[in-house]
Amino acid sequence: MAETQMLMERLEKSVIRLESLFSDSHRSIGMECGAVNGVNGGVAPYVEAFDRLLNGSVAEFLRNSKILEGDVKLHAEMVRAAFQAQRAFLLLVSQYQEPQESEMAVLLKPISDKIQEIQTFRERNRGSKMFNHLSAVSESIPALGWITVSPKPGPYVKEMNDAATFYTNRVLKDYKNSDLRHVDWVKSYLNIWTELQAYIKEHHTTGLTWSKTGPTASTASVLSTLTSGQCFPPPSPPPLPPGPPPVFDTESGKDEATTSRSALFAQLNQGEAITKGLRHVSDDQKTHKNPNLRAQGPPVRSPTKSHTPSPTSPKNSPQQIHSPLLELEGKKWRVEYQEDKNDLVITDTELKQVAYIFKCNKSTLQMKGKINSITIDNCRKFGLLFDNVVGIVEVINSRDIQIQVMGKVPTISINKTEGCHIYLSEDSLDCEIVSAKSSEMNILIPLNGDYKEFPVPEQFKTAWDGSKLVTEPAEIVG
């Protein structure tokens, strides 16, 4: 309670300071950036360089997103807010000394929250016509976590950019011959990460370097700096109104100490001192040593680390429970959140329809007839049996998938998947298998009334033949 009272007092002081800053309407933004918490000095060169990135590639992306309107425009506004939060953090780094590890999670929280907001928006709009646009942004926005990566943050941004490319290629495929506005949107978005890599290479090659002068960064400094209008450069469009100060959980804050700064945002809210709050359990309270406790009910499962696509999921948030879904929405079959269901069947299919299967675990789906395409996303131990697909079957971010083709399919794509067994039919032996960032893939070919298994290569060797690079599967010698 004492710590809560102290935090509230600091918040009130920050509000008073904020009001005094805005009371003088004739002060320029540049002047406001000249002093933070009494620390005088101009904006650091790398902050100015980041401003150029904001007013250049990020502003162009915003303009192209406004042209497309709808979900893309809303998503882009969230991206701008995330970059503004990062700009505020860089300003903090330029004017304060490096804080204690226990303070780092608080300082990074505004950026982490913005990233999570962007990814949540995508999850809530899976039925959007612009879902590939939203996915490109959602999968790559964790690149803003480069500020916690050391000693080489640049390659981390490149990896996130590659994740975006998987979805931007879909956008280009859909619109390159029909609507060039989407092509411009793709170019402007990918250009953000290209310029960010160049920015990091020039100013932060081995990671962020905090100021050697000024006070040590703390919760108080982030409240007075990150929530004030002084931290945002003058953007081309009218600036957004300042948001409310971030609210911090003091109960979890006193038990948490952040991991090393090179950890990804997935570990942002998980502290090394997490066991401090645990109490000692005597033998008479242990189920395996006290038979009377076993009769009172099943043991409570201890929480385990879950594998999720979002690197910024809050540690203490309760797991959201979704209702199973199997329905036709327009031309899309949606099969979502099915658990332990081995009797799922879709019979009324049409050539113009597609199927999207999301977060289904320990389940099996049979699709009869002919359909345009099928996508399996974020599924575990899932089986799919289908007759005919005229387009493509895609497996993304999944594990332990089994697919059986009864008729024909021209292409099967496997991306970011661990464990995928594909049973081909006699009619589908000309199917092309395209894989990326995946492992434990096996193709089973029908031979003499049985199936023979052939592994898909995972290791390759590349050599220069005098005119071009030649890549071929590498044989592993045992």
Side-chain angles (χ1 to χ4, degrees):
M1 292 298 295
E3 291 185 5
T4 303
Q5 183 63 31
M6 291 176 60
L7 182 60
M8 292 302 298
E9 291 177 358
R10 286 192 290 180
L11 283 171
E12 292 173 355
K13 292 179 181 178
S14 298
V15 171
I16 295 173
R17 175 174 170 76
L18 188 62
E19 292 174 346
S20 65
L21 286 173
F22 283 103
S23 62
D24 187 358
S25 59
H26 297 287
R27 294 180 62 186
S28 68
I29 293 179
M31 293 176 61
E32 291 175 4
C33 286
V36 178
N37 282 357
V39 179
N40 295 319
V43 176
Y46 64 78
V47 178
E48 292 181 348
F50 196 80
D51 289 344
R52 290 192 291 272
L53 187 150
L54 290 179
N55 294 324
S57 56
V58 175
E60 182 182 2
F61 165 70
L62 288 170
R63 287 192 294 270
N64 289 327
S65 298
K66 289 181 179 179
I67 292 174
L68 297 183
E69 298 183 335
D71 293 337
V72 172
K73 177 182 177 182
L74 295 175
H75 219 204
E77 291 295 334
M78 298 177 190
V79 172
R80 175 168 65 175
F83 271 91
Q84 287 177 333
Q86 181 144 107
R87 197 269 186 185
F89 183 83
L90 292 174
L91 181 64
L92 191 76
V93 170
S94 70
Q95 297 181 336
Y96 288 85
Q97 296 186 50
E98 186 171 3
Q100 299 291 329
E101 288 291 332
S102 58
E103 294 280 354
M104 187 60 70
V106 175
L107 302 182
L108 292 171
K109 193 175 186 299
I111 301 175
S112 177
D113 288 345
K114 296 299 181 184
I115 293 175
Q116 184 186 347
E117 180 185 15
I118 292 169
Q119 294 180 322
T120 300
F121 184 84
R122 176 240 193 169
E123 294 300 322
R124 291 177 177 174
N125 291 276
R126 287 190 165 271
S128 172
K129 295 180 180 179
M130 303 291 190
F131 181 69
N132 285 329
H133 299 67
L134 304 184
S135 296
V137 175
S138 179
E139 290 291 325
S140 55
I141 196 64
L144 293 181
W146 69 268
I147 55 178
T148 67
V149 179
S150 143
K152 295 182 179 181
Y156 173 69
V157 176
K158 174 65 167 59
E159 182 180 348
M160 295 298 103
N161 185 40
D162 292 343
T165 304
F166 179 79
Y167 290 98
T168 55
N169 285 343
R170 292 183 174 186
V171 176
L172 294 176
K173 180 181 177 182
D174 292 340
Y175 294 101
K176 64 180 179 180
N177 295 323
S178 60
D179 192 341
L180 294 181
R181 297 179 303 169
H182 296 266
V183 177
D184 293 337
W185 182 90
V186 167
K187 291 179 180 178
S188 64
Y189 182 67
L190 294 181
N191 189 48
I192 291 176
W193 305 124
T194 301
E195 291 198 8
L196 182 59
Q197 291 175 64
Y199 165 81
I200 293 172
K201 184 177 181 180
E202 181 177 355
H203 299 282
H204 309 285
T205 307
T206 58
L208 284 181
T209 301
W210 289 76
S211 174
K212 301 300 182 183
T213 60
T216 301
S218 63
T219 304
S221 61
V222 74
L223 289 175
S224 62
T225 302
L226 296 185
T227 62
S228 66
Q230 64 182 352
C231 299
F232 302 108
S236 300
L240 295 174
V247 180
F248 306 110
D249 183 358
T250 58
E251 288 300 318
S252 62
K254 62 184 180 181
D255 285 337
E256 291 180 346
T258 58
T259 55
S260 64
R261 290 178 54 207
S262 59
L264 299 179
F265 272 37
Q267 304 299 325
L268 182 59
N269 296 319
Q270 183 172 353
E272 295 175 351
I274 194 171
T275 58
K276 286 183 178 179
L278 299 180
R279 64 182 179 84
H280 175 71
V281 181
S282 59
D283 288 346
D284 63 335
Q285 294 175 304
K286 298 177 181 178
T287 305
H288 67 285
K289 291 189 177 183
N290 188 346
N292 294 329
L293 292 178
R294 300 188 196 125
Q296 298 177 8
V300 178
R301 291 184 59 187
S302 61
T304 58
K305 179 182 176 182
S306 60
H307 179 81
T308 66
S310 171
T312 55
S313 299
K315 170 188 151 189
N316 294 326
S317 63
Q319 184 177 2
Q320 188 174 1
I321 299 177
H322 299 271
S323 300
L325 179 67
L326 197 161
E327 67 177 16
L328 178 62
E329 185 181 87
K331 297 179 181 179
K332 177 189 288 187
W333 282 101
R334 296 179 59 190
V335 185
E336 301 177 3
Y337 304 108
Q338 301 289 340
E339 296 281 347
D340 296 304
K341 295 288 186 179
N342 294 310
D343 55 353
L344 301 173
V345 180
I346 296 178
T347 57
D348 301 326
T349 58
E350 298 179 7
L351 184 59
K352 61 183 179 180
Q353 294 175 348
V354 300
Y356 184 75
I357 306 164
F358 178 70
K359 282 198 174 180
C360 294
N361 301 323
K362 299 179 182 178
S363 301
T364 303
L365 170 66
Q366 181 180 2
M367 299 200 68
K368 298 182 179 180
K370 186 177 291 187
I371 195 170
N372 187 279
S373 66
I374 302 174
T375 299
I376 301 174
D377 187 2
N378 253 287
C379 295
R380 302 288 183 270
K381 296 183 178 180
F382 182 79
L384 171 67
L385 186 148
F386 64 89
D387 290 344
N388 295 282
V389 171
V390 298
I392 186 174
V393 174
E394 296 180 280
V395 183
I396 311 168
N397 293 323
S398 297
R399 184 180 299 165
D400 298 329
I401 304 299
Q402 293 195 27
I403 298 175
Q404 183 166 0
V405 186
M406 303 302 293
K408 290 183 66 68
V409 58
T411 306
I412 297 178
S413 172
I414 309 171
N415 190 276
K416 296 182 181 179
T417 294
E418 298 177 11
C420 186
H421 289 68
I422 300 174
Y423 295 79
L424 296 179
S425 64
E426 293 283 356
D427 295 332
S428 61
L429 295 181
D430 58 348
C431 172
E432 293 183 349
I433 311 295
V434 181
S435 61
K437 298 182 180 180
S438 299
S439 61
E440 302 175 32
M441 299 169 288
N442 293 280
I443 311 301
L444 293 97
I445 306 297
L447 293 173
N448 302 323
D450 200 357
Y451 284 95
K452 185 175 181 180
E453 186 176 280
F454 296 89
V456 177
E458 301 175 22
Q459 186 174 358
F460 302 88
K461 61 179 180 181
T462 301
W464 178 255
D465 69 351
S467 60
K468 64 180 182 300
L469 292 175
V470 178
T471 301
E472 59 184 17
E475 295 183 4
I476 301 177
V477 181

